[in-house]
Amino acid sequence: MIEGILVEGLIYGIMALGVFITFRILDFPDLSVDGTFPLGAAVMASTLTAGWNPLLCLLLAFAAGAAAGMLTALIHNTLKVPGLLAGILTMTMLWSINIRVLGGRANLPLMRVETMLTRFQHGLGAALSQPAALLLFCFAVVLVIKLAMDFFFHTDLGLTLGALGFNEQMIIAQGIDPRALKYIALALANGLVAVSGAFAAQYQGFADVNLGQGIIVSGLAMVMLGEFILRSNRIGWLTSRVILGSIAYRAIMYAGRYYGYYINLTPNDLKLITGILIIAALAVTKLQDKKGAAKKGKAKK
Amino acid sequence: MIELKDIDMTFGIGTPDENHVLNGLSLKVNRGDFITIIGSNGAGKSTLFNVISGKYSPTSGRVIFQEGDVTSQPEYRRARYIGRIFQDPLLGTAGNMSLEDNMVITQKKGFKGLKISLNHQLREKFRKELVQLDMNLENRLSDNVGTLSGGQRQALTLLMTVLSQPEILLLDEHTAALDPKNAAKVLELTCRFIEKYSLTAMMVTHNMQQAIDYGNRLLMLDNGQVIFDVSGEEKKNLTVDLLVKKFHEIRKSDFLSDEALLS
């Protein structure tokens, strides 16, 4: 069970990192995620089934997600529609695209296909038990992604992106087109989400067009949970806590699934729990803010 | 150096709220000018800045920079030549980031690449520049800008803007939101930087005395036109009373309400 929580936490953590980029860094509520997650899964599953090199399949999944993210940015930038609507449009259209990618069906099993995960497990099978090898692999993948992201947000371009969500006027004043930055950030975020979907498909042994339903909400819950775990402003900590939040979220979901029946909860109630989790997180943050403001006010007097 | 030709700016054309803000305004800004701009509310001061910076594109007329006609250039492109400071001290910096990160973003205009510029050398440079502000900010490079006071933030914005070496500095009542002590300090820094980097600047102010004391040229705006443009000796000999008298002469309208607003 604990391996399951960690592995899923790590795999979905990649998705949460993408959500973190759009919602927290860019301040752009991007709902394309519900479509790009299964897109990544679909691209991975269909290319793997066709016998392509797994690494190439993963790159293709990233590229597909990135392209979808850019579509959202394109709709938002050129038609000046709110980001929320642009994301919903992309997400809706992707549902049809995903079915096409899967070859005209809603589900593609990967049971007899050699995936990145099974390859690694077999490769290390002698030295480590299968679950341990899987965990090690996922940990390594997430670590590489996290470190790459930390590096990116230390570069001049990354810093500019960091300022954009907070103060668009400042970015314009620097002679930078904010639209260009939005393309980059949305591509990056949705590329990550698609990679997460690609790994989820390999882990679960199938790609399904409905894999992404409500995924954005769970991603948001992960990001918010992480914000409770530790407070910091350093990008290295920010990305770490997103992954920790993802693992915590998985743990709560597991608890709900395994012990929920004592209080008559079924797996169907997990979405309700997710929603309540987010509302609780929002409420607690609000309360803390109020307390903080009250304290400050007192100190001033 | 900067030339505005016959600028007309009308908002809401064809609606009952149609508002003619700039009225055939023409202006030539020379290199090295430090222009102060006064005018009552609605005279078009902010709109003038918005037209120069490209936030609004004028209904008719041309905006010409040294680089050529920029009337159709979007704001972000023109921003490479312009440093603009707003009344709101929060608008010039990103409060969620550290001082050094903010300074990295603004040290050079234009699109940024995938390199990490922030190193020991650059930090030293930032520290040296921050000493000029005399606000002990040189020891707070890794602090969040959000933890600074309004005055410190505006002073930092000013320094960051000046360091990017704009062709023209637009100061949009940039001290109006500060307490008197900080306002004086930021204004003093402004003058020092303009002199040190020999910048061309335009400053909107609501304070007539300030408009007279600072700069080498003074513009009075009314009804979307420059009604009074004075520089050199003549400007040095101005007083608030003279300015008010001048306004009466030109407009011959009731100045009482405006006087209350301006002083």
Side-chain angles (χ1 to χ4, degrees), chain A residues 24-25 151-152 154-163 166-167 169-181 184 233-234, chain B residues 55 75-76 79-80 82 86 90-97 101-102 104-106 108-117 142 144:
Chain A
R24 284 295 187 255
I25 295 187
F151 173 81
F152 174 74
H154 270 113
T155 62
D156 298 0
L157 176 63
L159 288 176
T160 323
L161 262 179
F166 209 80
N167 191 346
Q169 183 59 47
M170 176 181 171
I171 296 308
I172 295 173
Q174 292 324 304
I176 303 167
D177 188 352
R179 289 173 299 184
L181 290 182
I184 295 173
N233 226 357
R234 302 252 156 247
Chain B
K55 186 153 205 117
E75 186 182 7
Y76 75 85
R80 298 186 183 196
I82 298 173
F86 296 90
L90 305 185
L91 279 178
T93 43
N96 61 334
M97 297 170 86
D101 288 349
N102 268 282
V104 168
I105 295 172
T106 56
K108 251 197 222 130
K109 297 255 191 190
F111 201 81
K112 310 279 193 289
L114 277 178
K115 69 175 195 285
I116 298 184
S117 315
S142 54
N144 262 9

Side-chain angles (χ1 to χ4, degrees), chain B residues 1-3 27-35 167-168 198-202 216-217 229 231:
Chain B
M1 186 195 138
I2 288 183
E3 202 178 349
L27 175 67
K28 206 167 174 176
V29 180
N30 305 310
R31 180 175 290 280
D33 266 355
F34 178 7
I35 302 175
E167 276 177 33
I168 183 155
S198 38
L199 294 167
T200 309
M202 293 171 86
N216 66 335
R217 187 172 164 195
D229 182 349
S231 53

